[in-house]
Amino acid sequence: MQPADVACPVCSARFFDPAGIFARPKRPHTMYRCRTCTVTVDARVWSLDAACNLATQAAATGECYTRCYTQEEFERRVSVAQSTLGEFSKFLHSARCFVELGVGEGFLARAAAGLFGTAYGLDIDLTAARNVSRQFGCPVNLHLLPHEDFGALDLLEVSAVALWHVLEHLHDPLAVLRPFLGRMAPGGVVIGQVPLLREDYVFDEHFLFYNEGALLHLAGALGCTPVLMQRDEENDFLSFCLRKQPPAAASLGAEEAGGGAGRPALRALGVPALFVFGHQRSGTNVLVETLAAGLDCDMLNEDHPGAFDNFRL
């Protein structure tokens, strides 16, 4: 199937550029890059259905089913997971409920159980996580559940969703993630890490390869804004943290915020002022005054007596 006949799984655009053919042991992988959001798509995505997607992911976890750890190895992995989670803890607004999609062996979810009131580890096959629990027990506030069972639970609002090397496995990420974001309170976060595109990361189980631009588009489609994107240059990984915005952030009209019909009211979204260099100079005053009225926020320049006293720039 040619890319012109299909839509991007992240932004629904229909224009792609070739991104290479990767020769792998099982089969060659033909890649295309979306011109709009820059996500790289394995052409197999356009011939998959959800059942095939899940079955492929399940097959990828087989090597973890019976792995045995020494106490030292177990404690080291838990410590690494705690350190990883600690890097994101400063972005948390709440620590009530943590959900990890694709829990794998469960080390990140174990670390979360020590930080959150309740932690859930979800996967389509929990054999690997249960194997570790049989060896070392399971925290009382950590619950391992099949992915499909989570929606039926009567839960507190979700504070954080973790996607640690999960996004690349989802050929339809919006369909999978929107139900979880729907249970998240504004201010909640989505944290995760993805591999960048390189030949040794091309597997049958990897369908999409993200960069910063692709994550930015995904965040917008999920009603989130990025608060962190950070590359691990040595391993070619990209870590991220996305914050869920209030519903008004996407479509708040001026009648709700006092700014006039159809205008986005920044003041109501927590943006009381914009700092503009050159205000009242070189003819910019007309422009900024128009913006101030249209966006319902104050425009300050460096000469304003309160600019540096009341606002963090």
Side-chain angles (χ1 to χ4, degrees), residues 100-116:
E100 182 180 11
L101 279 68
V103 69
E105 292 182 291
F107 290 104
L108 189 65
R110 283 175 177 272
L115 181 62
F116 291 79

Side-chain angles (χ1 to χ4, degrees), residues 71-91:
Q71 185 69 34
E72 182 180 1
E73 290 171 334
F74 171 77
E75 292 176 356
R76 180 179 60 81
R77 285 182 173 257
V78 171
S79 177
V80 170
Q82 289 171 336
S83 177
T84 297
L85 198 59
E87 295 174 4
F88 293 96
S89 61
K90 61 186 175 183
F91 300 115

Side-chain angles (χ1 to χ4, degrees), residues 85 88-99 111-120 141 156-161 185 187-189 243:
L85 198 59
F88 293 96
S89 61
K90 61 186 175 183
F91 300 115
L92 295 174
H93 283 184
S94 167
R96 301 175 70 185
C97 181
F98 173 94
V99 177
L115 181 62
F116 291 79
T118 306
Y120 291 87
N141 63 331
L156 300 173
E157 287 183 316
V158 174
S159 306
V161 170
V189 296
R243 188 177 305 285

Side-chain angles (χ1 to χ4, degrees), residues 7-13 37 39 171 173-174 208 210 213-215 217-219 221:
C8 174
V10 173
C11 70
S12 299
C37 74
V39 71
H171 82 279
L174 297 178
L208 303 178
Y210 294 81
L215 283 177
H217 276 80
L218 181 70

Side-chain angles (χ1 to χ4, degrees), residues 20 67 76 83-84 92 103 125 149 164 170 188 208-209 219 235 238 242 272 279 283 293 299 301:
R67 183 180 293 161
R76 180 179 60 81
S83 177
T84 297
L92 295 174
V103 69
D125 189 326
D149 289 355
W164 212 255
L170 305 178
L208 303 178
F209 289 90
N235 296 302
L238 177 60
L242 316 177
H279 187 339
M299 293 285 178
N301 81 322

Side-chain angles (χ1 to χ4, degrees), residues 144-212:
L144 302 175
L145 294 174
H147 181 280
E148 63 272 15
D149 289 355
F150 181 77
L153 295 179
D154 183 16
L155 295 178
L156 300 173
E157 287 183 316
V158 174
S159 306
V161 170
L163 305 168
W164 212 255
H165 288 260
V166 168
L167 279 178
E168 65 270 23
H169 294 269
L170 305 178
H171 82 279
D172 190 355
L174 297 178
V176 173
L177 298 178
R178 278 174 172 155
F180 293 93
L181 271 293
R183 305 187 71 164
M184 178 182 286
V189 296
V190 180
I191 65 173
Q193 188 178 80
V194 292
L196 299 171
L197 177 62
R198 76 184 201 189
E199 186 169 5
D200 53 335
Y201 292 156
V202 176
F203 303 117
D204 284 355
E205 298 83 14
H206 290 175
F207 302 123
L208 303 178
F209 289 90
Y210 294 81
N211 57 19
E212 290 85 350

Side-chain angles (χ1 to χ4, degrees), residues 122-140:
L122 311 182
D123 217 320
I124 53 173
D125 189 326
L126 293 165
T127 305
R130 288 170 175 162
N131 175 55
V132 175
S133 293
R134 277 195 299 269
Q135 297 176 60
F136 300 100
C138 186
V140 294

